[in-house]
């Protein structure tokens, strides 16, 4: 079916709106310095867009939020309340929202980081404060306190489970729209800090996919799981392979056991195999490998005890690889350690289980990670591609098909599932190529150029691990940062090392087949690269 002109225009409008509304950090945090008041409006608006039942707060209605926040920033809480009263909103409901925003604004102007650091070095007491995302939990302010995590037995919280259910359902629907059926198995990446910030949304998503819910004991600790009936689920139980970070393993040991228990419970259910893919796969594996049920139901993997990270990021950044499949193999080598408890109640604490992991990944059809904060996205750090990219590349070889790769974020009130390719495009438009973002970075001089180069390299990481970067992205990076003469001059001036690394990365993207472009573009890049080398060596 071809789209009408109006449908296309609407789609374009929606995409533009999405880019425009995306919160992006403009510049780096400077230790000890409060955040500047400009552009605080967007953050305040995001904070005001969440219902906070625990504090008796209702989100500001979207249609009035912009105006009300502008009024608040310019003239204070009373003026904003008054402005909304004229729109028919009762002062009793809006006043508490602005009281919260006033509190946040005041705390953003306070910064005791240096003082706290000095006190910490003297071994003195530092006031504790929760670690969370600022929009989801403004109580993290002021900064400069001793960040504490949360009680792992509280994960997933009721709110996280309710949301996890919606996100996981949307994820399955998206896969079904594209493939005509549900995936039999998925691989999820779970991180520690994310699950602290969201109180376990990632954990909740995994449980919901398996079709179980957490059960709390007399002390209100989530130590058990119970089955959600197939009628209630309205779909098959999905097999879930979980690769958890070393931080998650360390912080959420009870949760690791909960997840492992959930898989074993799902596998034990006497249900038709086309409605319980966990059981189906466990039985298949027992038959295929002649292994025991414990081995066949291993689904929670992390690093060896005391070990962290996949090293896929280092291998990519150092260009120390020839074939992409090496990156996926490295991921498995680092992450093939099983955690949980076997049927005899014996704790498994990082037993090497490479074959079990290979088998589990060989059935995966979709991979997924939840993004917990607007501060750090897919191309801000090398960790997303090392994990989600790494596991996807490992699946590609073992399943002999590239999985569908998805992300979603806990950033806004609506749930939005995006493919990896869509997310890379969105990040590129909202950040990398957005003058608001790169000019913010360039104000930090040397470090800012390094951040730009990092982002380009992290984008490249998505080519290496998942072939998820369009040609236009590299072309526009080249146009914006290299072929714009005055920009190139600025980069060279501020940080010629990073400018050179950026040009080299573009050449590498072409060399490895990720970027098709004209020979004259490459020639120009080569030339600029040589000039930069001369400058670095002090020849020019
Ligand atoms: C984590 O929170 O588990 C995590 C953060 C950054 C990189 C890898 C893992
Ligand atoms: Mg391509």
């Amino acid at each position: 079916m071809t789209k009408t002109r109006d449908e296309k225009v609407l789609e374009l409008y929606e995409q533009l709106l999405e880019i425009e509304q995306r919160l992006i950090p403009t510049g780096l945090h400077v230790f000890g310095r409060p955040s500047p008041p400009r552009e605080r409006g967007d953050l305040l608006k995001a904070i005001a867009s969440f219902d906070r039942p625990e504090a008796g707060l209702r989100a500001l209605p979207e249609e009035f939020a912009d105006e009300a926040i502008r009024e608040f920033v310019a003239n204070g809480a009373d003026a904003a309340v008054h402005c909304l009263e004229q729109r028919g909103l009762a002062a009793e409901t809006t006043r508490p929202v602005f009281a919260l925003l006033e509190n946040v604004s005041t705390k953003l102007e306070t910064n005791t980081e240096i003082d706290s650091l000095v006190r910490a070095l003297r071994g003195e007491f530092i006031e504790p404060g929760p670690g969370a995302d600022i929009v989801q939990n403004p109580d993290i302010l002021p900064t400069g306190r001793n960040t504490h995590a949360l009680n792992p037995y509280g994960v997933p919280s009721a709110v996280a489970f309710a949301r996890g259910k919606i996100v996981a359902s949307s994820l399955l629907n998206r896969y079904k729209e594209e493939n005509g059926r549900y995936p039999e198995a998925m691989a999820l990446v779970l991180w520690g800090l994310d699950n602290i910030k969201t109180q376990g949304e990632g954990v909740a998503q995994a449980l919901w996919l398996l079709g179980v819910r957490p059960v709390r004991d007399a002390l209100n600790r989530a130590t058990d799981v119970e089955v959600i009936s197939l009628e209630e689920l309205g779909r098959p139980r999905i097999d879930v392979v979980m690769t958890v970070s070393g931080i998650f393993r360390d912080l959420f040991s009870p949760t690791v056991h909960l997840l492992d228990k959930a898989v074993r419970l799902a596998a034990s259910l006497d249900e038709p195999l086309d409605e319980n893919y966990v059981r189906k796969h466990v039985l298949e594996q027992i038959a295929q490998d002649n292994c025991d049920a414990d081995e066949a139901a291993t689904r929670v993997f992390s690093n060896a005890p005391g070990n962290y990270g996949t090293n896929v990021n280092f291998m990519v950044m150092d260009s120390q690889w020839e074939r992409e499949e090496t990156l996926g193999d490295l991921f498995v080598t680092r992450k093939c350690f099983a955690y949980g408890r076997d049927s005899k109640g014996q704790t498994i604490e990082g037993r090497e289980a490479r074959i079990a992991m290979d088998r589990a990944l060989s059935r995966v059809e979709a991979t997924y990670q939840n993004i917990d904060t607007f501060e750090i996205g897919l191309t801000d750090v090398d960790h997303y591609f090392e994990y989600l990219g790494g596991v996807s590349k490992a699946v590609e070889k073992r399943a002999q098909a590239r999985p569908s790769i998805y992300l979603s974020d806990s950033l806004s009130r609506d749930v939005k599932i995006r493919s990896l390719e869509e997310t890379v495009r969105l990040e590129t438009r909202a950040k990398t190529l957005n003058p608001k973002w790169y000019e913010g970075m360039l104000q930090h001089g040397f470090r800012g150029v390094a951040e730009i180069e990092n982002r380009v390299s992290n984008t490249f990481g998505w080519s290496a691990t998942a072939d998820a970067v369009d040609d236009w992205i590299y072309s526009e990076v080249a146009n914006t940062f290299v072929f714009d003469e005055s920009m190139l001059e600025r980069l060279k001036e501020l940080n010629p090392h990073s400018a050179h690394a950026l040009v080299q990365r573009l050449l590498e993207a072409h060399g490895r087949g990720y970027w098709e472009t004209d020979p004259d573009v490459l020639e120009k890049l080569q030339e600029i690269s040589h000039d930069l080398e001369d400058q670095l060596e002090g020849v020019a």
Side-chain angles (χ1 to χ4, degrees), residues 463 467 469-471 513-516:
S463 283
D467 193 20
V469 186
D470 303 334
D471 290 308
Y514 307 145
W515 178 32
E516 263 185 52

Side-chain angles (χ1 to χ4, degrees), residues 423-434 459 472-473:
T423 316
V424 170
R425 282 179 209 126
L426 179 59
E427 284 258 314
T428 303
R429 291 184 170 117
K431 292 182 184 164
T432 320
L433 300 174
N434 179 352
T459 305
W472 69 262
I473 291 180

Side-chain angles (χ1 to χ4, degrees), residues 273-293:
L273 300 187
D274 60 354
E275 292 185 64
N276 183 333
Y277 297 136
V278 189
R279 183 174 181 78
K280 177 183 176 198
H281 296 158
V282 167
L283 294 179
E284 268 174 21
Q285 196 177 317
I286 293 171
Q288 181 193 331
D289 287 357
N290 199 19
C291 63
D292 64 19

Side-chain angles (χ1 to χ4, degrees), residues 360-389:
L361 292 178
S362 74
R363 302 192 188 90
V364 166
E365 297 178 304
T367 58
Y368 169 78
Q369 185 166 2
N370 185 58
I371 295 189
D372 67 305
T373 167
F374 71 86
E375 289 175 289
I376 309 281
L378 210 56
T379 52
D380 285 279
V381 290
D382 53 7
H383 299 306
Y384 285 104
F385 80 74
E386 68 156 324
Y387 274 84
L388 184 62

Side-chain angles (χ1 to χ4, degrees), residues 92-400:
E92 309 89 80
T93 55
T94 60
R95 195 172 293 285
V97 178
F98 292 104
L100 169 68
L101 298 188
E102 245 171 358
N103 186 319
V104 168
S105 298
T106 311
K107 285 180 179 164
L108 281 170
E109 278 149 30
T110 336
N111 186 306
T112 58
E113 287 165 357
I114 289 180
D115 186 41
S116 297
L117 176 64
V118 171
R119 283 208 319 252
L121 292 172
R122 282 201 217 104
E124 289 171 12
F125 175 74
I126 311 294
E127 193 194 329
D133 176 77
I134 184 167
V135 174
Q136 292 184 35
N137 182 4
D139 285 341
I140 63 160
L141 295 171
T143 64
R145 291 182 295 168
N146 190 357
T147 307
H148 62 76
L150 49 67
N151 172 4
Y153 288 106
V155 159
S157 69
V159 173
F161 194 71
R163 199 174 153 101
K165 174 174 159 177
I166 299 171
V167 175
S169 303
S170 308
L171 178 61
L172 290 177
N173 289 339
R174 165 99 197 226
Y175 183 92
K176 198 171 172 213
E177 270 165 33
E178 290 176 337
N179 299 277
R181 60 170 177 80
Y182 292 115
E184 288 201 15
M186 295 193 57
L188 263 55
V189 172
L190 295 174
W191 283 357
L193 300 179
D194 293 53
N195 282 285
I196 291 174
K197 289 186 194 169
T198 63
Q199 305 200 13
E201 266 190 43
V203 173
Q205 290 157 2
L207 296 178
W208 185 256
L209 290 169
L210 290 163
V212 303
R213 61 167 61 87
V215 177
R216 290 174 199 279
D217 66 13
L219 297 173
N220 204 27
R221 305 179 315 164
T223 47
D224 210 345
V225 282
E226 68 181 17
V227 175
I228 300 169
S229 71
L230 288 171
E231 292 79 67
E232 190 185 337
L233 276 183
R235 51 138 179 108
R237 295 183 200 285
I238 311 298
D239 189 358
V240 185
V241 186
M242 289 155 274
T243 50
V244 317
S245 70
I247 298 180
F248 186 102
R249 172 204 59 203
D250 294 351
L251 293 178
F252 287 104
S253 175
T255 319
V256 164
H257 285 287
L258 193 75
L259 291 166
D260 175 68
K261 205 171 190 175
V263 173
R264 293 177 198 281
L265 175 62
S268 75
L269 299 172
D270 186 10
E271 290 173 337
L273 300 187
D274 60 354
E275 292 185 64
N276 183 333
Y277 297 136
V278 189
R279 183 174 181 78
K280 177 183 176 198
H281 296 158
V282 167
L283 294 179
E284 268 174 21
Q285 196 177 317
I286 293 171
Q288 181 193 331
D289 287 357
N290 199 19
C291 63
D292 64 19
D294 281 335
E295 163 93 0
T298 305
R299 293 291 183 277
V300 186
F301 298 94
S302 188
N303 297 81
N307 240 311
Y308 301 85
T310 73
N311 290 358
V312 170
N313 45 341
F314 301 130
M315 195 180 253
V316 169
M317 290 304 181
D318 295 344
S319 309
Q320 294 298 321
W321 49 286
E322 279 173 21
R323 286 146 50 108
E324 284 87 7
E325 67 172 52
T326 316
L327 301 171
D329 291 343
L330 176 61
F331 181 89
V332 175
T333 302
R334 296 281 300 171
K335 285 282 168 190
C336 66
F337 296 83
Y339 289 82
R341 185 166 285 135
D342 67 17
S343 49
K344 293 176 212 77
Q346 215 53 296
T347 306
I348 305 160
E349 281 292 340
R351 180 165 51 73
E352 187 168 2
R354 192 172 181 117
I355 292 174
M357 189 174 192
D358 281 341
R359 297 284 194 268
L361 292 178
S362 74
R363 302 192 188 90
V364 166
E365 297 178 304
T367 58
Y368 169 78
Q369 185 166 2
N370 185 58
I371 295 189
D372 67 305
T373 167
F374 71 86
E375 289 175 289
I376 309 281
L378 210 56
T379 52
D380 285 279
V381 290
D382 53 7
H383 299 306
Y384 285 104
F385 80 74
E386 68 156 324
Y387 274 84
L388 184 62
V391 75
S392 301
K393 191 48 82 182
V395 166
E396 188 175 326
K397 176 173 167 186
R398 287 153 186 79
Q400 294 180 12

